Amino acid sequence: MGSELATAPIAAVGLIAGFAVAVASGSRALGGVVLACCGLWCIAIWLRRDGRRTAVRLTLVGLVAFALSHVLGLLIGAWPAVFLAAAATAAACWRLSDVRRPGARARA
């Protein structure tokens, strides 16, 4: 169960919702909980569906995108940086994992 789920939207929502919760609540830690929950959900799916190597690669992509969004936020603003990081992470999730999920090509 769950290996048929696309992780691209989960990862993107995790970044966007995590930031939104942090801004709305004033608690970066609470936003981090949202981000971590989505990230752990993705990792569980990748481990089942794609194996450890892909799970590590995509986890690193997400962590790097998260870190770079902070730097990029200084240049283009926080929300645009978060949306860009979410889009890049989602694209990597789709390319390296989601396209292989059961039935993905049949539905596309």
Side-chain angles (χ1 to χ4, degrees):
M1 181 186 147
S3 64
E4 71 280 351
L5 290 174
T7 57
I10 299 168
V13 165
L15 285 161
I16 295 166
F19 183 66
V21 167
V23 169
S25 70
S27 171
R28 293 176 77 147
L30 189 56
V33 169
V34 172
L35 177 63
C37 286
C38 290
L40 290 171
W41 187 11
C42 288
I43 290 167
I45 293 169
W46 298 326
L47 285 171
R48 270 194 311 275
R49 180 171 63 208
D50 305 304
R52 180 174 290 190
R53 182 180 174 134
T54 298
V56 168
R57 288 174 68 192
L58 287 172
T59 300
L60 289 175
V61 166
L63 291 172
V64 168
F66 173 73
L68 288 177
S69 72
H70 289 77
V71 175
L72 194 56
L74 299 173
L75 301 172
I76 65 173
W79 277 109
V82 169
F83 287 130
L84 189 59
T89 302
C93 291
W94 181 262
R95 173 72 178 92
L96 298 176
S97 176
D98 292 345
V99 75
R100 293 187 214 137
R101 73 189 196 281
R105 294 188 192 271
R107 288 188 287 255

